[in-house]
């Protein structure tokens, strides 16, 4: 079979790489893909949010399965459009993708289905927002309702800051995305992410991961898309995983299906492990980036049957569960190497050498997030997050040592990375 992967980042490189290993797969196409994905199969220059262009490409290629990586095309209804054209698509409908695209919608669903999360309110006016802030204690959590590239959440330490932030957000700090705000109670605890592959009814839960959102060591500095990740995350004990399945995954999927918006694809459950148990911080409608790189690298089973079954549905839970046998996951870590200046303003264009030799280290795979080739044929940085140096090991410590061994073998003086990925578990 032939599979089309939509997207161009490290997440999509990892998906294409994993899919290409399947004995069922002949060709992996990518759109738009990247210089690294081009090594796996042909790439087509269509932007992920060019919905009509993607439809035309699908009609031209006739893939047996289309895997949509990023949230933007999902929120725009690409999965609906392609399904209406008869394609099997891994990714939720636009309605189900609102779990990520509208934080207010997501909170309303959680409230309706009794899923544990922070107390919240939705606001379009400053007066009501401030009245709700009166009922909370510092720090205050303010969220733009819409997609804001991972930057739409502000944690205000004081009431003065919170009031100022309410005014700024409502007057367009994040454009249309912050025309409406969600304000919520601050939750204390450790964060973890659980990824569930689902056909809307059946579930396959992958190992829990931990992301490192801040740019600096020790979780300091501004938020980024993620500077590294590892899995499995020991904070998510088997008991907690079972609790999440019973109190979060099951009620969300059953509720969405009953309300006519079955969720198909991968549900990313961002959790806070609070003293009262796990509570949902957010849902995303796609794999995490860079968490996906870790999950694909550590999975020994073929992922394609699960992706296909999640797209088509119609199985029993026992048939679905057999598609991705439960394995004891090998510890895996990914270290993001970024351009200097990221996340504020990345300075791109610097030359990166020795990536191939570094990727030949034992247990190491280097996924490309933002690379290109210059006129001299040299590999260069073209984005903020550039390389995802990923390694498995017998222990997490082994994996971390291997990943940093490969990082150190890469000749890219301008590149920056955190030196403490997986510190919580070590
Ligand atoms: P989100 O985009 O909703 O995941 O929020 C980004 C980050 O803000 C999360 O990863 C948390 O670190 C933090 N955050 C969001 N909501 C809360 C909350 N209610 N309490 C504490 N931290 C939060
Ligand atoms: N790494 C966080 C995300 O993908 O949203």
């Amino acid at each position: 079979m032939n599979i089309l992967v939509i997207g161009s980042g490290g997440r999509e490189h990892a998906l294409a790489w994993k899919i290409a290993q399947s004995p069922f797969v002949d060709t992996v196409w990518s759109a738009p893909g990247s210089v690294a994905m081009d090594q796996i199969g042909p790439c087509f220059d269509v932007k992920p949010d060019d919905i009509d262009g993607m439809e035309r490409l699908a009609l031209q290629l006739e893939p047996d399965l289309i895997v949509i990586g990023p949230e933007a095309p999902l929120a725009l209804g690409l999965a609906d459009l392609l399904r209406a054209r008869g394609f099997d698509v891994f990714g939720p409908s636009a309605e189900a993708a609102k779990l990520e695209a509208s934080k207010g919608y997501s909170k309303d669903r959680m409230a309706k289905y009794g899923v544990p999360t922070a107390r919240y309110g939705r606001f379009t006016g400053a007066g009501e927002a401030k009245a709700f802030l009166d009922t909370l204690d510092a720090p205050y959590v303010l969220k733009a309702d819409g997609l804001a590239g991972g930057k739409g959440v502000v944690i205000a330490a004081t009431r003065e800051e919170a009031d100022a932030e309410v005014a700024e957000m409502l007057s367009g700090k994040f454009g249309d995305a912050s025309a409406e705000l969600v304000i919520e109670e601050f939750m204390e605890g450790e964060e973890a992410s659980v990824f569930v592959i689902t056909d809307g009814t059946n579930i396959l839960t992958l190992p829990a991961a931990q992301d490192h959102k801040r740019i600096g060591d020790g979780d300091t500095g501004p938020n980024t898309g993620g500077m590294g990740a590892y899995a499995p995350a020991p904070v998510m004990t088997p008991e907690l995983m079972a609790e999440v399945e019973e109190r979060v995954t099951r009620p969300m999927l059953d509720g969405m299906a009953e309300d006519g918006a079955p969720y198909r694809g991968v549900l990313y459950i961002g959790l806070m492990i609070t003293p009262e148990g796990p509570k949902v911080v957010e849902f995303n409608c796609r794999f995490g980036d860079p968490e996906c790189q870790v999950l694909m690298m550590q999975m020994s089973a073929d992922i394609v049957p699960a992706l296909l079954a999640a797209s088509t549905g119609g199985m029993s839970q026992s048939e679905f569960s057999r598609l991705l046998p439960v394995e004891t996951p090998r510890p895996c870590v990914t270290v993001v190497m970024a351009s200097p200046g990221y996340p504020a303003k990345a300075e791109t264009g610097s030359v990166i050498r020795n990536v191939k030799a570094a990727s030949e280290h034992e247990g190491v795979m280097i996924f490309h997030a933002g690379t290109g080739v210059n006129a001299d044929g040299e590999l260069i940085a073209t984005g903020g997050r550039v390389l995802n140096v990923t390694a498995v090991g017998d222990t997490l410590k082994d994996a971390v040592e291997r990943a940093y061994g490969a990082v150190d073998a890469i000749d890219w003086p301008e590149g920056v990375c955190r030196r403490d990925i997986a510190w919580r578990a070590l």
Side-chain angles (χ1 to χ4, degrees):
M1 62 190 293
N2 302 318
I3 299 186
L4 171 62
V5 174
I6 292 178
S8 62
R11 168 181 52 207
E12 288 79 19
H13 184 198
L15 285 169
W17 170 81
K18 180 70 185 161
I19 288 169
Q21 291 168 37
S22 169
F24 299 110
V25 172
D26 300 304
T27 309
V28 182
W29 294 302
S30 305
S34 63
V35 289
M37 291 166 83
D38 193 49
Q39 306 285 307
I40 297 172
C43 295
F44 298 86
D45 190 15
V46 182
K47 299 232 164 7
D49 54 3
D50 176 1
I51 300 303
D52 297 334
M54 285 297 178
E55 184 189 18
R56 279 195 299 277
L57 182 67
L59 290 170
Q60 176 199 327
L61 297 174
E62 297 191 349
D64 300 296
L65 174 66
I66 302 172
V67 177
I68 305 178
E71 62 277 16
L74 292 165
L76 291 170
L78 182 58
D80 308 76
L81 185 67
L82 294 173
R83 279 197 190 103
R85 289 291 198 168
F87 293 106
D88 288 333
V89 182
F90 182 80
S93 66
E95 179 67 19
K98 278 199 209 159
L99 288 181
E100 172 167 6
S102 164
K103 294 206 185 272
Y105 174 95
S106 177
K107 296 293 287 192
D108 288 352
R109 295 281 158 168
M110 287 185 251
K112 182 168 180 197
Y113 310 141
V115 169
T117 186
R119 190 162 71 84
Y120 75 107
R122 302 178 70 167
F123 307 97
T124 50
E128 287 167 30
K130 288 179 183 173
F132 186 69
L133 286 172
D134 288 339
T135 72
L136 300 174
D137 297 317
Y140 304 93
V141 182
L142 311 170
K143 302 185 174 184
D145 180 70
L147 292 177
K151 300 189 187 77
V153 175
V154 175
I155 311 233
T158 64
R159 182 57 198 270
E160 290 67 39
E161 263 180 63
D163 284 349
E165 199 58 49
V166 164
E168 273 186 52
M169 284 171 93
L170 287 176
S171 57
K173 179 177 179 184
F174 299 107
D176 287 348
S178 64
E180 181 176 340
L181 298 184
V182 169
I183 300 181
E184 60 183 50
E185 184 182 55
F186 182 82
M187 297 184 284
E188 293 284 356
E190 192 172 332
E191 285 184 72
S193 309
V194 171
F195 296 87
V196 177
I197 294 178
T198 177
D199 60 0
T201 309
N202 300 305
I203 59 184
L204 285 168
T205 303
L206 303 180
Q210 237 168 6
D211 185 18
H212 297 61
K213 287 207 164 82
R214 305 294 197 95
I215 185 76
D217 284 11
D219 292 333
T220 53
N223 264 329
T224 69
M227 292 302 291
Y230 68 98
V235 61
M236 292 305 295
T237 59
E239 294 72 29
L240 280 177
M241 292 296 277
E243 189 176 343
V244 169
E245 184 165 322
E246 185 193 333
R247 298 185 63 202
V248 179
T249 315
R250 217 44 288 167
M252 281 308 295
L253 295 181
D254 292 348
M256 293 293 285
E258 274 162 31
D259 284 337
Y263 189 97
R264 281 178 280 177
V266 58
L267 181 65
Y268 169 144
I269 308 174
L271 295 163
M272 190 72 80
I273 311 308
T274 74
E276 300 101 67
K279 293 187 182 179
V280 175
V281 176
E282 63 167 344
F283 290 115
N284 292 316
C285 63
R286 41 141 185 112
F287 277 110
D289 186 348
E291 295 93 321
C292 183
Q293 290 80 314
V294 165
L295 297 174
M296 293 307 114
M297 179 88 177
Q298 75 185 170
M299 185 185 292
S300 53
D302 181 1
I303 197 174
V304 169
L307 297 179
L308 194 60
S311 310
T312 54
M315 285 189 174
S316 67
Q317 177 68 58
S318 61
E319 288 172 304
F320 199 69
S321 298
R322 275 200 294 276
L323 297 175
L324 211 53
V326 178
E327 38 186 83
T328 306
R330 289 188 80 193
C332 187
V333 58
T334 189
V335 177
V336 172
M337 297 185 78
S339 292
Y342 176 75
K345 190 173 183 329
E347 293 158 36
T348 58
S350 48
V351 175
I352 310 166
R353 296 192 176 87
N354 224 26
V355 172
K356 188 161 179 296
S359 68
E360 282 161 7
H361 286 204
E362 196 185 344
V364 168
M365 179 66 205
I366 299 177
F367 298 111
H368 292 230
T371 62
V373 173
N374 68 13
D376 298 325
E378 296 167 310
L379 190 73
I380 56 166
T382 57
R385 293 190 292 172
V386 177
L387 295 173
N388 307 143
V389 182
T390 309
V392 286
D394 291 333
T395 62
L396 185 61
K397 190 163 169 285
D398 272 358
V400 168
E401 278 168 10
R402 282 176 171 176
Y404 281 110
V407 165
D408 292 334
I410 294 171
D411 177 9
W412 183 27
E414 294 84 354
V416 291
C417 71
R418 279 181 60 163
R419 282 276 156 190
D420 64 346
I421 301 305
W423 66 272
R424 275 183 199 278
L426 293 174

